Every structure is written in structure tokens, then in C-alpha cells.
Amino acid sequence: MGRSQLEKQKTHERIVTLAAKRLREEGLEGIGVADLMKEAGLTVGGFYKHFASRDELVAEAVGSAIGSWRRQQEEKGIVAESVSLDEYVDAYLSEGHRDHCGEGCAYAALTADMARSGDAVRSVATDGLRRNFEAMTARMSRPETAEARRKAIIASCLMTGALGLARVANDEALSTEILETVKQFVKELPQAE
């Protein structure tokens, strides 16, 4: 790959990463192309060298946001699948995750927005759900069973909802109670028979 192509790729990745963060902070309709490109230090005209449309950028940014946790683990030298259920739940349902929406779970930040989106975003989100459910199933006891998959889906939905509701609450004690209550419940799921 030539230098100009490499630079274009790096710029493209920078725009997508920035958009993924901003979309999680402000919603899918919360940021325009002009503001995003300005924040990236680029011109609006430069946007069309990278994307055919805003919708294309949004779909790619949502995909990037959905895969961000796995990439963060890999950058630390951690195989995402090796993270235990307890470790995963502790990190996901933490005050730090609650307080940093722009770096966190795209589903907790954007569920309603993604549900109202077009097919491109919903397809990316659906693929991410499948991967997330598979990863969560692998963290359950007897992961080869249908019961493990059922518990994985329940756990994933509980955690996403709890994180979103903890962000909604403007009462710190209630917000923390939501996180801690669901954290304890999800950790007990694999043992429940």
C-alpha cells in the first residue's frame, strides 16, 4: 500500500473512531458531518473521499463501537474469550463504564436509535448481538447447552438495560444500586439450575 493510501486509511479510521465515540455520546442523529469533520480537523468536502453518505459512516461507526471492547482487550494482550463472567460483569456494570458513555457499550448508549435506523445499521447491530451472545454463552457453565444460551441472552439484556438505567438515574445511590443489584444477579445465573 502506497503512502497516500496508508494516510487515507489512517484518516478514515480516525473519522470512524471519532464518530463512534460521538454517536455513543449524542445519539445517531446527534452529530452532523460538518461538526464531525471539523472535530477531526478536516473539511466537509473531504468527507466524501471516505464515505458515500452519512448513513455509510454511521453504519461503519456503529460497527466500530460494537467491536471496541474486544479491540481494547486485544491492545492489552488479553484474549476477549478468556475474560471470565465475573470479570466481564464487574467491568461492564462499573461506575467507570456508566460514566464514560463515549467509550462504552454501543447497545446501552444507542439501542433505541439503532432500532429506528435503516437496514445497514440494524444489520451491523444484529451481527454484533450474535457475536456478543456467543461470547456470553461461552462464559456460562455448560456452554454447549441451550440453557447456557438462554442465560447468556438474559444476562446480556439485563446488563445492557441496567447500564442504560444507571445512566438515566440522577440519584448516585440509586444508580449504583442498579449496577450492583444486576451485577450480583448475573453472576448467580450460571449456577442457577
Side-chain angles (χ1 to χ4, degrees), residues 4 25 29 61 74 79 81 97 102-103 106 115 152 156 183 189-190:
S4 63
E25 292 170 344
E29 298 300 324
E74 289 170 357
V79 176
E81 290 78 12
H97 190 193
E103 287 99 39
S156 296
K183 187 184 299 185
L189 271 175

Side-chain angles (χ1 to χ4, degrees), residues 14 24 28-29 39 49 62-63 76 78 82 91 94-95 103 110 118 145-146 153 158 161 168 178 181 183 185 192-193:
R14 190 171 86 237
R24 284 177 283 183
L28 298 185
E29 298 300 324
E39 190 172 338
K49 293 178 182 175
V62 166
K76 295 176 190 174
I78 299 170
S82 71
S94 68
E95 292 176 2
E103 287 99 39
L110 298 169
T145 65
I153 291 172
L158 284 171
V168 168
I178 292 166
T181 300
K183 187 184 299 185
F185 184 86
E193 293 298 327

Side-chain angles (χ1 to χ4, degrees), residues 3-182:
R3 182 173 179 190
S4 63
Q5 280 300 102
L6 185 59
E7 289 299 318
K8 183 177 181 181
Q9 181 181 342
K10 286 181 181 180
T11 300
H12 184 94
E13 289 170 5
R14 190 171 86 237
I15 295 167
V16 170
T17 300
L18 180 57
K21 181 178 190 297
R22 297 288 299 222
L23 293 172
R24 284 177 283 183
E25 292 170 344
E26 299 181 28
L28 298 185
E29 298 300 324
I31 184 169
V33 169
D35 291 334
L36 178 66
M37 295 304 283
K38 182 178 180 183
E39 190 172 338
L42 302 164
T43 65
V44 175
F47 174 84
Y48 295 100
K49 293 178 182 175
H50 297 277
F51 308 96
S53 67
R54 183 182 186 281
D55 289 345
E56 183 181 303
L57 166 64
V58 170
E60 193 170 334
V62 166
S64 176
I66 289 169
S68 66
W69 181 80
R70 177 178 293 280
R71 283 191 309 279
Q72 290 167 4
Q73 299 310 301
E74 289 170 357
E75 288 170 5
K76 295 176 190 174
I78 299 170
V79 176
E81 290 78 12
S82 71
V83 175
S84 72
L85 178 64
D86 285 357
E87 292 170 318
Y88 184 77
V89 172
D90 285 341
Y92 191 95
L93 294 174
S94 68
E95 292 176 2
H97 190 193
R98 177 198 63 199
D99 297 343
H100 295 95
C101 188
E103 287 99 39
C105 176
Y107 295 105
L110 298 169
T111 297
D113 284 355
M114 288 189 286
R116 290 187 293 266
S117 290
D119 285 339
V121 168
R122 292 185 67 212
S123 291
V124 167
T126 299
D127 290 344
L129 284 173
R130 285 188 182 105
R131 286 189 305 275
N132 289 349
F133 293 155
E134 288 169 8
M136 186 60 87
T137 300
R139 292 185 178 98
M140 297 290 160
S141 60
R142 298 190 349 239
E144 69 285 352
T145 65
E147 182 64 11
R149 173 133 174 118
R150 186 181 79 80
K151 288 178 181 180
I153 291 172
I154 291 168
S156 296
C157 293
L158 284 171
M159 291 169 58
T160 301
L163 184 60
L165 292 175
R167 287 176 175 162
V168 168
N170 68 355
D171 175 328
E172 182 76 21
L174 176 60
S175 179
T176 300
E177 181 182 12
I178 292 166
L179 295 175
E180 293 302 317
T181 300
V182 174

